[in-house]
Amino acid sequence: MAQVIADRRDVDFVLHEQFEVEKLSKYEQFADFNKKTVDLIISEARNLAVKEILPTQKPGDEEGCTLKNGEVTVPECFHKIYDLLKEGEWVAMCDDPEWGGQGMPQSVALAAENYFNGANFPFILYSLLTHGAGKLVETFGTEEQKKLFLKNIYTGHWGGTMLLTEPEAGSDVGALTTVAVKNDDGTYSITGNKIFISSGENNLVENIIHPVLARIEGAPPGTAGISLFLVPKIWVNEDGSLGEFNDVVCTGIEEKMGLHGSSTCSLALGGKGQCRGTLLGKENKGMSAMFVMMNEARLHVGVPGFSCASASYINAVNYARERVQGKNLEATAKDAPSVPIIQHPDVRRMLLTMKTYTEGMRSVLCYIGLCEDMIKISESPEEKSKYQGLIDVLIPIAKGYITDKAFEMCGHGVNIYGGYGYTQEYPQEQLLRDCKITQLYEGTNGIQAMDLIGRKLGLNKGQSFKDLLAEMNNTVETAKGVKGLEGFAATMEKAVSKLAETGKHLTTAKSEKIMNAFGNAYSFLEVTGDAVMAWMLLWRAVIAAQKLEAGPKKKDIAFYEGQIKSAQFFINTLIPLTLAKMDVISTDDGAVVEISEDAFGGK
Amino acid sequence: MAQVIADRRDVDFVLHEQFEVEKLSKYEQFADFNKKTVDLIISEARNLAVKEILPTQKPGDEEGCTLKNGEVTVPECFHKIYDLLKEGEWVAMCDDPEWGGQGMPQSVALAAENYFNGANFPFILYSLLTHGAGKLVETFGTEEQKKLFLKNIYTGHWGGTMLLTEPEAGSDVGALTTVAVKNDDGTYSITGNKIFISSGENNLVENIIHPVLARIEGAPPGTAGISLFLVPKIWVNEDGSLGEFNDVVCTGIEEKMGLHGSSTCSLALGGKGQCRGTLLGKENKGMSAMFVMMNEARLHVGVPGFSCASASYINAVNYARERVQGKNLEATAKDAPSVPIIQHPDVRRMLLTMKTYTEGMRSVLCYIGLCEDMIKISESPEEKSKYQGLIDVLIPIAKGYITDKAFEMCGHGVNIYGGYGYTQEYPQEQLLRDCKITQLYEGTNGIQAMDLIGRKLGLNKGQSFKDLLAEMNNTVETAKGVKGLEGFAATMEKAVSKLAETGKHLTTAKSEKIMNAFGNAYSFLEVTGDAVMAWMLLWRAVIAAQKLEAGPKKKDIAFYEGQIKSAQFFINTLIPLTLAKMDVISTDDGAVVEISEDAFGGK
C-alpha cells in the first residue's frame, strides 16, 4: 500500500545510513536508544500519526475553533488524539525523564515529529507550544517553579504558550507595553494585552501556563527592560492544587487562512486587576531568555513547514501514479492508451523538485538534531562550541529557507493534482494553507535573513560559518573519490568556494553600505540554503553510490538510484542559478534601497 | 488618500504613454474612443470597482455559495453589483454593439478588468464566463442562435458557462464521454456528467446558456469526434420566450481553497432523458472551436491572476507606509524612533519585486490587447497574421508565467503584513487563495509550457517567435541611445540573443529527445516570461527617461524615477539568473526523465 505523510525508507536512510544515529547509544546519555529502539519509536510515532492523527486533519480544519464566553472549544476530534499523545509521552521526547521527558536523541525525535506534524500540524501545535513553555521553566525556573509546573507541562497534563506579541510589538518585541508590578508576597501583578497567542485558550487541558514578556514598572525602555513571568490561567497553590482563576481572559480568536484547528488568541491579562505571575529567570533578562529558546522555537517551525511539504510530496507521487490522463509523449500510435501522469515530463519535473527539497530538508533538520545530541554527549568545550555554532548558523536555514521552500513545494503539490488540488476533496490545499504560517511566525523569513547576515555570519569571529563550509567541503572531498559523482563534486566545490567569497563580501558591505547589505540578506539566505541542500543531497548520493557499488538488496536499488538522481537534478540544474545569484549579490546593486518611498506609487 | 486595487498613475502610463491607445481612435472601428473617453471609462470602472465591488470581496468569501434542491445561492451582496455591472454594460466591453457590446478596444477593456478582477475576482467570474459563452455563440452560431441568445448573454441578462471537464477528462479533453443523439427536429438529446463548471448554476440570472462539449453517437474517438452544443438551462422557444426546464441539474458544488463566491458545479445533463441542445458550429469540430476561444479564455485567466497581484501590491505598499515597527538600520542613536517598515531593506526588496512584476504584467497584458485591436483595424493580411502570431506566442506567458508569478507576488503581499497577513482581518490571504486557481484552470501552467514549446515556438515556421524577439530588440536599440539605460540595454540584448539560441536548441531537442525537451518546457516558459517582463520594463524605462529629460511635472518625477528603478532591479538582479537558466536548458540534463518511477519512493 502506498505510504502517507513521509517516506519511511527515506526516514530510515537519514537516521541509519546518513547519520548513523545508533552510534549515539554508545554514550550513557542515549544508552537506551539502540537501533531497535529507534525503529520502534519511529514505527509507533508513524502508527499513531497515520491511524489516529491523520484522520483528524480535515475535520479539524472544517470545524475550527470557537470562542464563547471567554472559553475556546477546539475541534471535537482533537480530544482523543491529545489523550493518545499524552499516553504515549510524546510531548517531551528529548527531555529529562525526571520531569516526565523521554530523554530521546533530538535527531530521532525530529523524525517522529515529521510524522506528527505532517498528519495534523494545527493539532500538534498545542503540544509544541506546551513543550516550549516547559523548556523555559526547566531552563530558567527555580526549583519551586519546576516542582509546581514542570511535570504537569511535560506530560501534557497542562498546556503551555508564549505571550510575546502585542498589537504594536510584533517583530519589534522591545516595543511591548505589558506591565508587571511587584507585590509584597514576591509575585507580580501583570496588566496588558497580548495577541496572536497560539493555544492561548483551549479546552484540551485543565490549566494553561503562560510565559509572559512584560516590563517591570520603572524598567529601561526597549528590550533591555523586558522580564519574563510565569502566569498560570488558574493559580497553582503551593501544594500543587489549583486555586482561583487568574484573570487571563481570551477576548478574541483570529480567523485565519489555515491552521483552523489551532486557536490563535487575544488575551487580556489583569483586566480586573487580578492577574498574578512569578518572575522566571532574572529581572530585565526576559529577552536573553527568549533568545536562548529561539533556536528550539525556530527549529520547530521549520519542522512543520517541512512536514507539510513531505506530506504534500508523498500524496502527489501517489496521485501521479494513479491519475490517468493523456498519452505518453513518446507514443506514436494513434490509439496509444492514456497513461498515469507520472509519465509526463513536466509532472516529473515537479515531483523531482519536491523530492529533492523534501530529502534535503529532512537531512538538514536531522543534522541539526544530531548537533544538539553531540553537544549533550561531548565533553570537550571546543567541540560543544563548534556544534552550537553550526546550529546557530543553520537555524535561519531551518526556519527561513526551509519554510519558504516548503510553501513552494506545497504549491507544486497542489499543481500536480490540477483542478482537484484546489478542492477540499484532497488534502493538498490545506497543507498549502497550513504551511503558509511557518513563513511568518517566530520571526518572518525576512528576519531570519537579517539574523543570518547580521548575527550568524560573524558569529565567533566568523568561525562558525567557516565550520559549516568546512563540513560541506568534507563531503565534497569524499564525493570526488566516488565514481559517477566527480562532476557533482566539482560544481559543489565551486559553490562552497563562492559562498565563502560572498559571505566575505557581505561582511565588508555590512560596515560600508549597511542598507545595501541588508537588501541582499534574503538572497544570501537563499544561496546559503541552496548550498546546504546541495551538500546534503551530495552526501546522500555518496552513500547511495557506495551501497550500489557494494551490491544492495534488490528492493533498495531504485531508492539508491533515486538519491543520485536527486543530487544530479539539484546540482546540475539548480546550483548554476545559485552561482549566478551569488554573482548578483557581489554587484551590490542598490535599486532596493535607492528607490524613493514615493516611487512605490499608490498614493 | 491611498489608492486600492491598481495604481491609477501606472494604468494611465501604460495606456497613454507606453501604448498611446488614443491613436486607435483615428480608425473608424474605435473612433468613439479618444483619450477623454478612455479616461472616463477607466474612471467609471474604477469607481464601480472601488465603491461597489470591493466591499463585497470579503463578505462574498465568507458567505460562499450554497446548494439546495439543485439551486445554487450566491452571496447575497452579489446581486446588487451584478445589476450595476449589467446597467453599466460591462459584460461585453469589446463586442459588437449590435449584440449589446460596447465596441471598446481590448487594450482599454483590460485596464477596466484589472479594477474589476482586483476588487472581487470570484464575483467577476460570473460575467467572464458569460462573455466567453457569448463569444462562442457570436463566432460559431447561426443567425437564429444569435437572435435567440446573444443579446441576452452580452447584456448579462442570461448567464453563460463552458461545459468541458468530466471526472476522467480534465487536461485530456479527448477522453470525454458525454453523448449527443440527434433528434428528428434537428436538436440533440444530451446525456452526461460535467464537473468543475464555474457559474454552472446560480441565482444571479433567470437562465443560463451552457456551451457543452459532447460526442455525437458514432463519432470518432478522441478529440476528432467532439462537437459543441448550446444547452440552455431553461429551453428558449423560437419566439425568445422561456420554455420548460431542460434537465440540467446541479448535483454538487465544490468546496475550494478560495474563490468561495464563485459556484463550481457538477452538472448532470439529461438524467431524466429530457436535456436538449442545438449544434454550435459543425459536427466533430468542437475542439477546434474551443481552440479558437482558447486565447481569449487564457488571456482572461491571466488578467485576474495579475489583478490579484496588483491589489496585493498596492495594499502592501500602503500597509508598509503605515505600519511602524523597528528602527531604521542606519539609525545610531539609542533612542532612535521606530519607523514605518517601508524603510527596512528586506521589506523594500519584497515591495520592489511586487512592483516590477505588477508593472511588467500590466504592460504585457495591455500589449496583447493592443495586438488584438491592431488586427481589427489593420487591412493587411500580413500584418494581421503577424499580430496574431505575437498573441499566440504571448498567450502561454499571459496565462502560465503571469499566474505563477502573480501567486508568488500575492505570497510576498501576505509576508509584508507579517502575522497579520495570515489573518482574515486583511485582504491579503484571500487574494492569495483566490489567485491560486488561475495557475490551474484553462490548462494548468505545465500545459501552458508545453503549448509554448510544442506549438508556439514553431508557429508559422518559427516566424512568430522571431517576431517577438525582433520587437524586443527594437526596444533594446532605442534604449541603447538613452542616457543611463545603456547598461540595461546591453544585458537585455544578451538575454534576447540567448533566448533565440535556447529556442533553437529546444526546437532541435524536440525532435531528438522529446522527453528531455518537454522536461525543460517549464524552464523555457520561465525564461521567455522573464525576457518579456524585462522588455516591458526597459520599454517603460525608455519613456520615463525621456520624460525626465524633457522636464516632467513635479508630481511625476518620483513615478518616472520609479520606472527606471524597476528596470534596474529586474535587469540587474533577476536577468542574470535567467541567463543562467538558459544555460542550464542547453545542457539537456536528463534527471527528470531518467529517474525511474519506483525511485520516486513512497510505495
Side-chain angles (χ1 to χ4, degrees):
Chain A
M1 213 184 93
Q3 298 190 52
V4 285
I5 307 176
D7 187 339
R8 178 66 188 265
R9 182 66 189 88
D10 198 60
V11 170
D12 289 342
F13 177 79
V14 171
L15 288 172
H16 299 309
E17 296 173 74
Q18 186 174 17
F19 297 120
E20 303 176 297
V21 296
E22 70 276 19
K23 285 187 181 166
L24 294 170
S25 66
K26 289 181 195 157
Y27 299 86
E28 197 195 328
Q29 291 88 336
F30 298 123
D32 292 346
F33 297 92
N34 59 20
K35 181 166 186 304
K36 202 173 157 188
T37 306
V38 168
D39 287 341
L40 201 67
I41 290 169
I42 304 302
S43 292
E44 275 193 29
R46 185 193 190 205
N47 272 340
L48 177 57
V50 174
K51 291 184 187 160
E52 302 287 348
I53 303 179
L54 187 59
T56 68
Q57 187 181 49
K58 193 183 174 193
D61 184 65
E62 286 173 351
E63 193 178 335
C65 297
T66 47
L67 170 68
K68 203 173 166 184
N69 302 327
E71 288 178 11
V72 172
T73 304
V74 305
E76 181 57 35
C77 55
F78 282 13
H79 290 280
K80 180 187 167 194
I81 53 175
Y82 190 75
D83 288 342
L84 292 172
L85 212 65
K86 280 194 294 188
E87 282 166 24
E89 298 178 20
W90 294 108
V91 177
M93 285 184 262
C94 303
D95 305 277
D96 194 339
E98 187 193 338
W99 298 111
Q102 285 205 56
M104 202 185 286
Q106 181 73 68
S107 47
V108 176
L110 288 172
E113 285 182 41
N114 180 184
Y115 280 108
F116 293 148
N117 278 290
N120 190 343
F121 158 38
F123 163 71
I124 283 296
L125 204 44
Y126 290 100
S127 69
L128 182 68
L129 270 287
T130 296
H131 178 262
K135 204 75 199 167
L136 279 171
V137 175
E138 185 183 353
T139 312
F140 300 103
T142 60
E143 274 308 303
E144 202 187 337
Q145 283 173 320
K146 286 191 209 174
K147 273 184 199 156
L148 274 187
F149 300 111
L150 196 48
K151 199 155 192 170
N152 274 327
I153 294 177
Y154 272 169
T155 55
H157 196 62
W158 292 346
T161 65
M162 182 64 231
L163 272 59
L164 193 148
T165 304
E166 300 178 5
E168 301 306 319
S171 301
D172 183 9
V173 183
L176 65 80
T177 61
T178 295
V179 175
V181 179
K182 195 165 188 176
N183 301 315
D184 294 341
D185 64 356
T187 65
Y188 289 77
S189 288
I190 313 278
T191 319
N193 292 291
K194 297 286 183 176
I195 60 166
F196 292 170
I197 309 305
S198 297
S199 323
E201 167 60 25
N202 68 78
N203 64 339
L204 280 175
V205 286
E206 66 172 335
N207 198 9
I208 301 174
I209 310 305
H210 304 290
V212 178
L213 286 187
R215 199 180 298 283
I216 296 174
E217 243 189 345
T223 52
I226 293 176
S227 304
L228 184 59
F229 299 89
L230 270 190
V231 177
K233 171 183 168 183
I234 300 170
W235 190 256
V236 182
N237 297 317
E238 281 177 25
D239 63 357
S241 64
L242 293 183
E244 295 194 337
F245 178 68
N246 193 35
D247 197 9
V248 179
V249 178
C250 180
T251 56
I253 55 175
E254 301 291 339
E255 298 296 327
K256 310 181 297 290
M257 180 182 182
L259 217 72
H260 292 154
S262 162
S263 65
T264 307
C265 305
S266 301
L267 296 180
L269 289 82
K272 295 185 177 166
Q274 304 293 320
C275 177
R276 286 183 301 160
T278 53
L279 187 66
L280 185 60
K282 295 184 180 157
E283 280 190 14
N284 298 338
K285 296 294 178 196
M287 276 309 285
S288 44
M290 284 310 301
F291 265 99
V292 171
M293 304 312 303
M294 210 70 100
N295 278 351
E296 158 155 346
R298 289 181 172 174
L299 177 64
H300 285 90
V301 173
V303 173
F306 151 66
S307 301
C308 289
S310 152
S312 185
Y313 169 61
I314 205 158
N315 291 337
V317 76
N318 292 333
Y319 184 80
R321 285 195 174 107
E322 286 174 8
R323 173 72 175 166
V324 171
Q325 199 74 183
K327 305 191 189 318
N328 187 297
L329 283 182
E330 288 183 312
T332 47
K334 264 215 160 179
D335 57 350
S338 293
V339 297
I341 60 172
I342 197 171
Q343 293 188 24
H344 299 322
D346 191 65
V347 173
R348 297 172 76 85
R349 171 191 64 85
M350 291 190 277
L351 287 173
L352 190 50
T353 305
M354 294 181 82
K355 175 180 188 281
T356 52
Y357 278 102
T358 304
E359 290 170 350
M361 292 177 193
R362 176 172 287 124
S363 287
V364 69
L365 290 170
C366 188
Y367 181 82
I368 294 172
L370 196 68
C371 288
E372 293 189 2
D373 297 332
M374 294 306 289
I375 291 174
K376 280 195 184 165
I377 60 182
S378 169
E379 292 179 357
S380 140
E382 291 75 27
E383 208 177 71
K384 279 178 190 281
S385 161
K386 181 187 160 183
Y387 283 119
Q388 188 58 53
L390 285 169
I391 294 170
D392 289 340
V393 173
L394 285 170
I395 285 298
I397 307 300
K399 198 285 179 183
Y401 179 87
I402 282 187
T403 61
D404 276 359
K405 290 298 173 187
F407 181 71
E408 205 181 310
M409 295 312 119
C410 289
H412 291 309
V414 170
N415 296 351
I416 289 169
Y417 280 64
Y420 285 109
Y422 196 67
T423 69
Q424 302 189 336
E425 195 178 332
Y426 292 95
Q428 301 302 77
E429 66 86 29
Q430 185 187 343
L431 291 169
L432 183 70
R433 284 186 290 110
D434 288 347
C435 185
K436 182 72 197 166
I437 190 61
T438 63
Q439 300 177 282
L440 303 169
Y441 62 20
E442 283 304 318
T444 63
N445 288 351
I447 286 182
Q448 305 305 315
M450 292 177 70
D451 180 49
L452 179 62
I453 78 159
R455 294 193 195 94
K456 304 305 175 59
L457 191 54
L459 188 71
N460 300 318
K461 298 184 178 165
Q463 186 56 45
S464 296
F465 191 70
K466 277 187 197 156
D467 286 343
L468 176 67
L469 298 175
E471 292 291 316
M472 291 183 186
N473 275 328
N474 283 343
T475 303
V476 168
E477 286 308 313
T478 313
K480 280 181 184 173
V482 178
K483 202 179 143 192
L485 305 187
E486 303 88 346
F488 308 160
T491 305
M492 188 63 202
E493 187 168 33
K494 204 168 151 189
V496 178
S497 148
K498 204 184 264 279
L499 183 61
E501 284 166 37
T502 312
K504 269 185 213 155
H505 176 85
L506 275 181
T507 304
T508 312
K510 257 199 304 175
S511 55
E512 290 170 2
K513 308 188 225 173
I514 185 169
M515 299 300 266
N516 270 42
F518 278 91
N520 269 321
Y522 187 80
S523 293
F524 189 68
L525 177 73
E526 281 186 302
V527 297
T528 308
D530 290 347
V532 169
M533 287 293 112
W535 165 38
M536 288 296 160
L537 293 169
L538 184 61
W539 186 339
R540 284 165 162 264
V542 165
I543 297 164
Q546 287 165 343
K547 299 259 174 162
L548 283 169
E549 180 75 22
K553 289 179 193 156
K554 198 178 166 195
K555 72 181 173 66
D556 277 336
I557 294 175
F559 175 80
Y560 290 131
E561 287 175 346
Q563 290 306 309
I564 295 171
K565 286 297 159 199
S566 291
Q568 177 186 337
F569 177 69
F570 202 95
I571 295 173
N572 285 1
T573 71
L574 301 180
I575 287 296
L577 312 187
T578 308
L579 296 172
K581 194 172 285 176
M582 292 189 207
D583 286 336
V584 168
I585 292 173
S586 298
T587 64
D588 282 327
D589 186 83
V592 160
V593 295
E594 289 157 13
I595 182 173
S596 70
E597 279 181 33
D598 280 348
F600 282 108
K603 277 187 174 174
Chain B
M1 215 184 92
Q3 298 190 52
V4 286
I5 307 176
D7 186 339
R8 177 67 190 264
R9 182 67 189 87
D10 198 62
V11 170
D12 288 342
F13 176 80
V14 170
L15 288 173
H16 299 309
E17 296 172 73
Q18 186 173 17
F19 297 120
E20 303 175 297
V21 295
E22 70 274 20
K23 286 187 181 167
L24 294 171
S25 65
K26 290 181 198 160
Y27 298 85
E28 196 196 330
Q29 292 89 337
F30 299 123
D32 292 344
F33 298 91
N34 60 18
K35 181 168 186 303
K36 202 174 158 189
T37 306
V38 168
D39 287 340
L40 201 68
I41 290 169
I42 304 303
S43 292
E44 275 192 29
R46 184 194 191 206
N47 274 339
L48 177 57
V50 173
K51 291 185 187 159
E52 302 289 347
I53 304 178
L54 187 58
T56 67
Q57 188 181 49
K58 193 183 174 193
D61 184 65
E62 286 173 351
E63 193 178 334
C65 296
T66 47
L67 170 68
K68 203 172 166 183
N69 302 327
E71 289 179 10
V72 172
T73 304
V74 305
E76 181 56 34
C77 54
F78 282 14
H79 290 280
K80 181 187 166 196
I81 53 175
Y82 189 76
D83 287 342
L84 292 172
L85 211 66
K86 280 194 294 189
E87 283 166 25
E89 298 178 22
W90 294 107
V91 176
M93 286 184 262
C94 304
D95 306 277
D96 195 337
E98 186 194 339
W99 300 110
Q102 286 204 56
M104 202 185 287
Q106 182 72 69
S107 46
V108 176
L110 287 172
E113 286 183 40
N114 181 185
Y115 280 108
F116 293 148
N117 278 289
N120 191 343
F121 159 37
F123 162 71
I124 284 296
L125 205 43
Y126 290 100
S127 69
L128 182 68
L129 269 287
T130 295
H131 177 262
K135 205 74 199 166
L136 279 172
V137 176
E138 186 183 353
T139 313
F140 300 104
T142 59
E143 274 308 302
E144 201 187 342
Q145 284 173 320
K146 286 190 211 175
K147 274 185 199 157
L148 273 187
F149 301 111
L150 196 49
K151 199 155 193 170
N152 274 326
I153 294 177
Y154 273 168
T155 56
H157 196 61
W158 292 346
T161 64
M162 184 62 233
L163 273 58
L164 193 148
T165 304
E166 299 179 4
E168 302 306 320
S171 301
D172 183 9
V173 183
L176 65 79
T177 60
T178 295
V179 175
V181 179
K182 195 163 186 175
N183 300 315
D184 294 339
D185 64 357
T187 65
Y188 289 77
S189 289
I190 313 277
T191 319
N193 292 291
K194 297 284 182 176
I195 60 166
F196 292 171
I197 309 305
S198 298
S199 323
E201 166 60 26
N202 67 79
N203 63 339
L204 280 175
V205 286
E206 65 172 336
N207 198 11
I208 301 174
I209 311 305
H210 304 288
V212 177
L213 286 187
R215 198 179 299 284
I216 297 174
E217 244 188 346
T223 52
I226 293 176
S227 305
L228 184 59
F229 299 88
L230 270 190
V231 177
K233 171 182 166 183
I234 300 170
W235 191 256
V236 182
N237 298 318
E238 280 177 26
D239 62 358
S241 64
L242 293 183
E244 296 195 338
F245 178 68
N246 194 33
D247 197 10
V248 179
V249 177
C250 179
T251 55
I253 55 175
E254 300 292 337
E255 299 295 327
K256 310 181 295 291
M257 180 181 181
L259 217 71
H260 293 154
S262 162
S263 65
T264 308
C265 305
S266 302
L267 296 180
L269 289 82
K272 295 185 178 167
Q274 305 292 318
C275 178
R276 285 183 301 159
T278 53
L279 187 66
L280 186 59
K282 294 184 181 158
E283 280 189 17
N284 298 339
K285 296 294 176 195
M287 275 310 284
S288 44
M290 285 310 300
F291 265 99
V292 171
M293 303 313 302
M294 209 70 100
N295 279 351
E296 158 154 346
R298 290 181 171 173
L299 177 63
H300 285 91
V301 172
V303 173
F306 151 67
S307 300
C308 290
S310 152
S312 184
Y313 169 60
I314 204 157
N315 291 337
V317 76
N318 291 333
Y319 184 81
R321 285 196 174 108
E322 286 176 8
R323 172 71 174 165
V324 171
Q325 199 73 181
K327 304 187 189 322
N328 187 296
L329 284 182
E330 288 184 312
T332 47
K334 265 215 160 178
D335 57 350
S338 293
V339 297
I341 61 172
I342 197 171
Q343 294 189 24
H344 300 320
D346 192 65
V347 173
R348 297 171 75 85
R349 171 191 64 85
M350 291 188 278
L351 287 173
L352 190 50
T353 306
M354 294 180 82
K355 175 179 187 283
T356 52
Y357 278 103
T358 304
E359 289 170 350
M361 291 176 194
R362 178 172 288 123
S363 287
V364 70
L365 290 170
C366 188
Y367 181 82
I368 294 172
L370 196 67
C371 288
E372 293 189 3
D373 297 332
M374 294 306 288
I375 292 175
K376 280 194 185 168
I377 60 184
S378 170
E379 292 181 358
S380 140
E382 291 75 26
E383 208 176 70
K384 280 178 191 279
S385 160
K386 180 187 161 183
Y387 284 118
Q388 188 59 52
L390 285 170
I391 294 170
D392 289 340
V393 173
L394 284 170
I395 285 297
I397 307 300
K399 198 285 178 182
Y401 180 87
I402 283 188
T403 62
D404 275 0
K405 290 299 175 187
F407 181 72
E408 206 180 309
M409 295 311 119
C410 289
H412 291 310
V414 170
N415 296 350
I416 289 169
Y417 280 64
Y420 286 108
Y422 196 66
T423 70
Q424 301 189 337
E425 195 178 332
Y426 292 96
Q428 302 300 79
E429 67 85 30
Q430 186 187 343
L431 291 169
L432 183 69
R433 284 186 291 109
D434 288 347
C435 186
K436 181 73 198 166
I437 190 62
T438 62
Q439 300 177 282
L440 302 169
Y441 63 17
E442 283 305 319
T444 62
N445 288 351
I447 286 181
Q448 305 305 315
M450 291 176 71
D451 179 48
L452 179 62
I453 79 159
R455 295 193 195 95
K456 305 303 175 61
L457 191 54
L459 188 70
N460 300 320
K461 297 186 178 163
Q463 187 56 45
S464 296
F465 191 71
K466 276 186 197 156
D467 286 342
L468 177 66
L469 299 175
E471 293 291 316
M472 292 184 186
N473 275 328
N474 284 343
T475 303
V476 169
E477 286 309 314
T478 314
K480 279 182 183 172
V482 178
K483 203 178 143 194
L485 305 187
E486 303 89 344
F488 308 159
T491 305
M492 189 62 202
E493 186 169 34
K494 204 168 151 188
V496 178
S497 147
K498 204 185 263 279
L499 183 61
E501 284 168 35
T502 312
K504 270 186 213 154
H505 175 86
L506 276 180
T507 304
T508 312
K510 258 198 306 175
S511 55
E512 289 170 3
K513 306 187 226 174
I514 185 169
M515 299 300 265
N516 271 40
F518 277 92
N520 269 322
Y522 188 79
S523 294
F524 189 69
L525 177 72
E526 281 185 303
V527 298
T528 309
D530 290 347
V532 169
M533 287 291 113
W535 165 39
M536 288 296 160
L537 293 169
L538 184 62
W539 186 340
R540 285 165 161 263
V542 165
I543 297 163
Q546 288 165 343
K547 300 259 173 161
L548 282 170
E549 182 73 21
K553 289 181 194 158
K554 199 177 165 195
K555 71 180 173 67
D556 277 337
I557 294 176
F559 176 80
Y560 291 132
E561 287 176 347
Q563 291 307 309
I564 294 172
K565 286 297 159 199
S566 290
Q568 177 186 337
F569 177 69
F570 202 95
I571 294 174
N572 285 1
T573 71
L574 301 180
I575 286 297
L577 313 187
T578 309
L579 296 172
K581 194 172 283 175
M582 292 188 206
D583 286 334
V584 169
I585 293 173
S586 298
T587 65
D588 282 327
D589 186 83
V592 160
V593 294
E594 289 156 14
I595 182 173
S596 71
E597 280 181 32
D598 280 349
F600 282 108
K603 277 189 174 173

